[in-house]
Amino acid sequence: WALERKVRRQTALISARTEVEAELERRRSRILEDINESRPLAEILVQITAMVSSTLEGAPCWCEVAHGERLGDYPEEQHSLRIVCASIDARVGPALGTLFAGLNPDTPPIDRETVALSNGARLATLAIETRRLYSDLRRRSEFDLLTDIHNRFSLEENLDAQIEEARQNASI
């Protein structure tokens, strides 16, 4: 009877842990899909902070991007929390920002905190750099690199839009 009870308890524990890991993997997959689609970068970074927060049992997590924007669950009462951070490093050049988590000051630091923040920071790096590369590629496809004016493809697209707008406004 005692052995059966112990086996049931361990089975339930393993089942719960597996479910949590599966949910984390589903979230990570959704974030990667959103990075490859045209979802706004701010939404993706909020999703990343939510994923890190759920990994850290609901601890408030937020991201500060290098240009000053703060995204996620930023707590008003920071002085009562133990703040842990991970740098969002670029592959080349200066850091892209920082990912933060506000934890209970009574709990000792554990490895899971560092792992969760570093995984989140790597996802944020991927999201930010992918968006930058996409923007650069789009700009290069629409403008001449030497003269910085619209190229033929962009001119035809803009010309059609201008003609349509003139037609709607009954103007030249």
Side-chain angles (χ1 to χ4, degrees):
W1 176 78
L3 182 60
E4 186 178 321
R5 184 175 175 212
K6 186 174 181 180
V7 168
R8 281 189 189 143
R9 193 178 315 136
Q10 287 179 345
T11 303
L13 209 100
I14 290 170
S15 176
R17 189 177 308 139
T18 303
E19 185 58 37
V20 166
E21 289 174 0
E23 177 58 29
L24 178 64
E25 189 57 38
R26 282 191 291 272
R27 280 184 154 189
R28 195 176 300 134
S29 295
R30 267 182 291 194
I31 290 169
L32 289 171
E33 288 173 8
D34 288 345
I35 289 171
N36 290 324
E37 293 176 1
S38 60
R39 178 79 44 120
L41 180 61
E43 287 181 23
I44 294 170
L45 293 175
V46 168
Q47 286 179 338
I48 292 170
T49 60
M51 183 190 73
V52 172
S53 176
S54 70
T55 304
L56 298 176
E57 299 169 3
C61 294
W62 67 98
C63 171
E64 291 183 5
V65 186
H67 62 272
E69 190 173 10
R70 182 181 295 145
L71 303 162
D73 183 18
Y74 182 74
E76 298 298 324
E77 301 277 334
Q78 277 192 0
H79 63 316
S80 63
L81 297 172
R82 178 172 55 90
I83 306 297
V84 182
C85 65
S87 177
I88 302 172
D89 294 324
R91 291 186 188 127
V92 176
L96 303 170
T98 308
L99 188 63
F100 296 92
L103 303 165
N104 186 345
D106 299 332
T107 60
I110 55 175
D111 290 337
R112 187 172 45 139
E113 297 167 1
T114 307
V115 170
L117 282 170
S118 64
N119 286 340
R122 284 196 298 270
L123 271 174
T125 297
L126 181 64
I128 294 169
E129 288 189 341
T130 300
R131 197 51 43 102
R132 283 183 177 177
L133 287 171
Y134 177 76
S135 297
D136 184 52
L137 183 61
R138 185 173 179 128
R139 173 129 181 102
R140 288 172 183 245
S141 73
E142 294 177 355
F143 289 87
D144 181 70
L145 294 177
L146 182 62
T147 60
D148 200 35
I149 58 174
H150 288 278
N151 61 18
R152 181 177 293 171
F153 168 75
S154 179
L155 175 67
E156 289 174 2
E157 194 173 284
N158 286 332
L159 187 59
D160 289 341
Q162 291 287 331
I163 291 171
E164 184 61 33
E165 184 180 327
R167 202 175 279 145
Q168 289 176 358
N169 295 335
S171 63
I172 297 175

